[in-house]
């Protein structure tokens, strides 16, 4: 009976999963296809597997692939690291410290989440031009280095931490910096989880790099110019680039999936 | 910045930019499109992922997590990759959507990306495909965290599966549903990259796919940054109301 139920469930779920994963499967196989086959989306597997497209992409003739890739990886990783560290420390202060105007500052911090970055982009652009940061990668890293949702998330995490730890440490005479640093390993799983979410979201940024960078491009944006700039190369090269573009997120997600799940069910938001 | 007149010579008051905007027919069109888009995204994604989460929660552990992982993969795609993929899905004659769902039933192939009536629905489909997985995982974890004993007690008292779902599980993850809805709302409301990469900067044929942020971006092509920021500021009130509601709820809980 139980086995039967599982099978029925699988039968219901599988078609949905197939619909949702079909484009991804298609993308993977499209990397080996000729132009004609790519225009027929119902054909999943190519007649002959042609691996030369990857070589063409990596050679850097079509776009400066490695340059864009390092740019993208660098900005996203740095930005997420800083964001995780900052939001954790801010949350620490909110939870364990008392100071004037705490409530008001807290509400301000929370409202950060609900105002999407896109809305603030134009003043931000002005600011960055004034700081002479346009066309440098810092123009992307700095604005992304703070996340409202991260702060809220870590506040929840710190609240669930036994308060006695911190009180004991204080009695023993540890400074706040020291307490903060030593409690970090305790919240490793949420830290990783937050890093992952931030990384994935930052990786997908489009508007900011489009407005702020010229030559020093990031991979996703570079791809959109690749898409529009004629068809002088085989389409499969574009597909290879697309695949490489989602690979970092997927790999990162694979490694942190377990953490993510446990954090989600423990710290129900 | 939004009060800085874009064209100082013609400006009569601090609200000159707002006047320009409100007299522009495109502005109301952008608002309408955004509203329709946001509403339909929320209306489809939340129930769909609730169903999926419920189905998943009935499965054995290994299968459960693998399948929710597969469902989540689209959420990891940058919009540009989505656009490349969806060009194939929505393509006029050879597109997947036409070939699988429309032509076999004798329907006429629809050009999803250039027919004004269909552009918005194409964008909604894209968004559903992208976000359902994430929301499902959130809700699934929420369902998991409801204590088993409560459900068992209800079963002993003779409650049916549907009753349990309706009066125990849904209320149990209500706060999560609200959180997800707020998150989705903000994301769809301020969507830029999705439609930008799918349709290009123009907003599609007859501006049928023009959303607010795209509308703002349009001005940047003529260096009209003040007007652009006016568009953004005019989006704020709606978001503020939402923020207020959200904060109120949290306070009630606490």
């Amino acid at each position: 009976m139980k086995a039967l139920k599982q099978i029925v469930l699988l039968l219901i779920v599988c078609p949905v999963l197939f619909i949702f994963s079909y484009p991804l499967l298609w993308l993977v196989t499209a990397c080996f296809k000729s132009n004609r086959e790519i225009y027929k989306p119902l054909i999943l597997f190519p007649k002959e597997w042609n691996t030369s497209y990857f070589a063409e992409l990596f050679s850097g003739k079509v776009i400066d692939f490695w340059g864009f890739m390092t740019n993208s990886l660098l900005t996203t990783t740095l930005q997420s690291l800083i964001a995780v560290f900052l939001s954790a420390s801010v949350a620490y202060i909110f939870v364990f410290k008392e100071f004037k105007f705490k409530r008001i500052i807290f509400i301000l911090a929370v409202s950060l989440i609900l105002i999407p970055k896109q809305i603030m982009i134009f003043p931000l652009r002005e600011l960055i031009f004034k700081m002479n940061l346009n066309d440098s990668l810092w123009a992307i890293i700095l604005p992304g280095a703070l996340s409202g949702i991260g702060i809220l998330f870590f506040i929840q995490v710190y609240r669930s931490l036994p308060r006695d730890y911190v009180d004991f440490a204080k009695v023993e005479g540890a400074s706040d910096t020291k307490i903060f640093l030593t409690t970090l390993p305790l919240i490793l799983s949420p830290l990783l989880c937050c890093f992952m979410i931030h990384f994935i979201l930052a990786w997908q940024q489009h508007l900011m790099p489009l407005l702020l960078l010229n030559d020093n491009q990031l991979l996703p944006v570079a791809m959109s110019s690749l898409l529009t700039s004629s068809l002088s190369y085989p389409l499969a090269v574009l597909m290879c680039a697309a695949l490489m573009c989602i690979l970092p997120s997927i790999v990162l997600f694979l490694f942190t999936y377990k953490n993510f799940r446990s954090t989600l069910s423990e710290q129900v938001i | 910045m939004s009060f800085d007149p874009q064209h100082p010579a013609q400006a009569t008051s601090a609200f000159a930019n707002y006047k320009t905007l409100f007299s522009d027919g495109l502005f109301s069109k952008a608002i309408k499109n955004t509203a329709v888009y946001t509403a339909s995204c929320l209306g489809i994604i939340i129930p769909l992922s609730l169903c999926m989460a419920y189905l998943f929660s009935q499965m054995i552990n290994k299968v459960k997590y693998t399948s929710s992982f597969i469902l989540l993969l689209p959420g990891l795609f940058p919009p540009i990759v989505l656009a490349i993929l969806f060009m194939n899905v929505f393509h006029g004659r050879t597109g997947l959507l036409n070939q699988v769902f429309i032509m076999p039933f004798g329907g006429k192939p629809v050009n999803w990306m250039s027919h004004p009536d269909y552009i918005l629905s194409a964008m909604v489909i894209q968004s559903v495909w992208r976000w359902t997985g994430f929301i499902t995982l959130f809700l699934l974890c929420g369902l998991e965290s409801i204590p088993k004993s409560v459900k068992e007690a209800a079963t002993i008292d003779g409650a049916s599966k549907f009753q349990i779902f309706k009066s125990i599980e849904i209320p149990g993850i209500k706060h999560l549903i609200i959180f997800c809805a707020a998150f989705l709302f903000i994301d769809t409301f301020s969507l830029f990259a999705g439609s930008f990469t799918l349709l290009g900067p123009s907003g599609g044929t007859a501006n049928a796919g023009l959303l607010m942020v795209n509308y703002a971006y349009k001005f940047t092509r003529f260096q009209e940054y003040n007007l652009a920021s006016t568009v953004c500021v005019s989006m704020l009130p709606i978001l503020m109301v939402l923020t207020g509601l959200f904060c109120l709820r949290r306070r009630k809980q606490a």
Side-chain angles (χ1 to χ4, degrees):
Chain A
M1 188 60 205
K2 229 174 170 184
L4 189 75
K5 190 182 151 201
Q6 291 296 326
I7 293 170
V8 173
L9 275 173
L10 258 183
L11 282 181
I12 304 174
V13 167
C14 270
V16 181
L17 285 185
F18 183 70
I19 292 175
F20 271 82
S21 59
Y22 182 82
L24 179 65
L25 286 176
W26 183 85
L27 177 68
V28 173
T29 55
C31 293
F32 306 98
K33 283 180 192 165
S34 64
N35 267 0
R36 274 211 7 233
E37 280 170 320
I38 283 181
Y39 278 119
K40 289 180 189 143
L42 280 180
I43 301 168
L44 192 53
F45 296 106
K47 268 198 196 107
E48 42 189 297
W49 298 73
N50 188 342
T51 50
S52 67
Y53 301 119
F54 276 105
E56 197 169 337
L57 176 71
F58 292 151
S59 72
K61 263 179 245 150
V62 185
I63 47 168
D64 179 13
F65 175 76
W66 294 114
F68 294 150
M69 190 73 173
T70 29
N71 273 350
S72 273
L73 279 178
L74 203 69
T75 41
T76 335
T77 318
L78 258 180
Q79 174 182 339
S80 323
L81 275 179
I82 300 175
V84 168
F85 185 76
L86 271 184
S87 7
S89 47
V90 169
Y92 177 87
I93 292 170
F94 272 128
V95 175
F96 295 114
K97 286 262 157 197
E98 289 303 324
F99 51 91
K100 257 188 178 177
F101 306 122
K102 185 171 160 177
R103 261 212 102 73
I104 298 171
I105 297 178
F106 178 68
I107 289 174
L108 276 179
V110 170
S111 57
L112 252 183
I113 318 169
L114 288 154
I115 300 175
K117 244 189 238 151
Q118 283 92 326
I119 287 198
M120 301 192 280
I121 187 118
F122 296 104
L124 202 62
R125 179 181 173 278
E126 206 90 323
L127 188 68
I128 281 168
F129 271 71
K130 286 224 171 85
M131 288 162 81
N132 262 332
L133 280 178
N134 54 315
D135 220 10
S136 93
L137 293 181
W138 288 105
I140 307 295
I141 296 174
L142 286 182
L146 192 65
S147 78
I149 214 153
I151 296 175
L152 210 64
F153 175 69
F154 279 114
I155 284 179
Q156 209 75 15
V157 171
Y158 274 119
R159 280 209 183 124
S160 66
L161 208 67
R163 230 194 147 94
D164 298 352
Y165 284 173
V166 182
D167 289 340
F168 274 136
K170 260 186 202 150
V171 172
E172 299 280 336
S175 68
D176 276 312
T177 332
K178 185 143 189 226
I179 301 174
F180 173 66
L181 288 178
T182 41
T183 46
L184 279 185
L186 289 177
I187 54 167
L188 190 65
S189 171
L191 280 177
L192 271 176
C193 176
C194 186
F195 176 81
M196 181 203 76
I197 293 181
H198 203 92
F199 185 93
I200 288 170
L201 290 181
W203 186 262
Q204 299 180 350
Q205 270 185 348
H206 202 97
L207 182 61
M208 295 261 281
L210 199 66
L211 281 173
L212 295 173
L213 300 181
N214 292 326
D215 310 321
N216 245 338
Q217 275 177 338
L218 305 185
L219 194 59
V221 179
M223 283 200 34
S224 68
S225 59
L226 192 68
L227 184 63
T228 48
S229 73
S230 82
L231 301 167
S232 51
Y233 47 84
L235 271 177
V237 176
L238 185 66
M239 299 300 160
C240 294
L243 188 64
M244 297 316 286
C245 198
I246 54 175
L247 211 57
S249 302
I250 292 184
V251 170
L252 184 69
F253 193 71
L254 258 179
F255 281 116
T256 48
Y257 184 50
K258 225 174 184 167
N259 277 316
F260 187 54
R261 251 171 31 217
S262 64
T263 319
L264 262 188
S265 15
E266 274 162 30
Q267 326 273 347
V268 183
I269 304 157
Chain B
M1 207 166 149
S2 69
F3 295 108
D4 244 357
Q6 183 66 54
H7 305 292
Q10 306 153 18
T12 46
S13 72
F15 293 97
N17 286 337
Y18 289 92
K19 263 189 203 150
T20 324
L21 276 190
F22 288 131
S23 57
D24 185 357
L26 276 184
F27 182 66
S28 54
K29 183 142 202 182
I31 291 183
K32 213 185 99 209
N33 281 341
T34 313
V36 171
Y37 173 73
T38 310
S40 39
C41 279
L42 280 178
I44 297 174
I45 296 178
I46 301 274
L48 180 64
S49 39
L50 198 58
C51 290
M52 291 311 284
Y54 183 72
L55 284 180
F56 285 163
S57 71
Q58 304 290 313
M59 296 162 102
I60 43 174
N61 268 357
K62 239 181 193 155
V63 186
K64 173 172 19 183
Y65 292 126
T66 332
S67 39
S68 79
F69 182 78
I70 296 174
L71 198 63
L72 202 144
L73 279 178
L76 306 178
F77 286 27
I80 175 66
V81 179
L82 276 184
I84 292 173
L85 289 178
F86 273 81
M87 280 202 299
N88 265 303
V89 176
F90 295 136
H91 193 273
R93 186 161 293 279
T94 57
L96 202 60
L97 213 53
N98 282 331
Q99 288 202 349
V100 178
F101 292 109
I102 296 195
M103 274 159 40
F105 304 108
K108 256 203 189 133
V110 173
N111 197 339
W112 292 86
M113 271 167 20
S114 62
H115 195 294
D117 294 349
Y118 294 102
I119 289 179
L120 261 186
S121 38
M123 279 157 64
V124 172
I125 291 174
Q126 192 191 33
S127 177
V128 167
W129 188 73
R130 179 154 173 231
W131 284 118
T132 306
F134 257 110
I135 307 293
T136 306
L137 183 61
F138 268 82
L139 297 182
L140 177 63
C141 289
L143 284 177
E144 301 282 282
S145 64
I146 295 173
K148 278 233 162 63
S149 51
V150 181
K151 279 187 251 174
E152 272 159 21
T155 324
I156 292 170
D157 284 344
S160 70
K161 277 242 153 101
F162 180 70
Q163 271 174 332
I164 292 179
F165 183 62
K166 200 185 75 182
S167 15
I168 294 178
E169 291 180 322
I170 297 239
I173 54 168
K174 200 165 139 211
H175 61 288
L176 256 184
I177 297 179
I178 289 171
F179 172 80
C180 291
F183 172 75
L184 263 183
F185 182 87
I186 293 163
D187 186 82
T188 47
F189 189 71
S190 57
L191 177 100
F192 166 74
S195 77
F196 179 79
T197 46
L198 195 65
L199 307 166
S202 64
T205 318
N207 291 301
L210 189 73
L211 299 180
M212 292 292 271
V213 183
N214 291 64
Y215 183 59
Y217 182 75
K218 263 188 140 168
F219 289 112
T220 61
R221 273 192 302 172
F222 308 111
Q223 308 291 321
E224 296 177 318
Y225 289 104
N226 290 346
L227 271 181
S229 61
T230 313
V231 178
C232 291
V233 171
S234 63
M235 286 163 77
L236 270 181
I238 307 171
L239 289 169
M240 298 258 258
V241 171
L242 190 80
T243 320
L245 284 178
F246 200 61
C247 285
L248 269 183
R249 250 200 79 81
R250 279 195 88 84
R251 190 168 299 171
K252 233 191 262 163
Q253 277 173 355

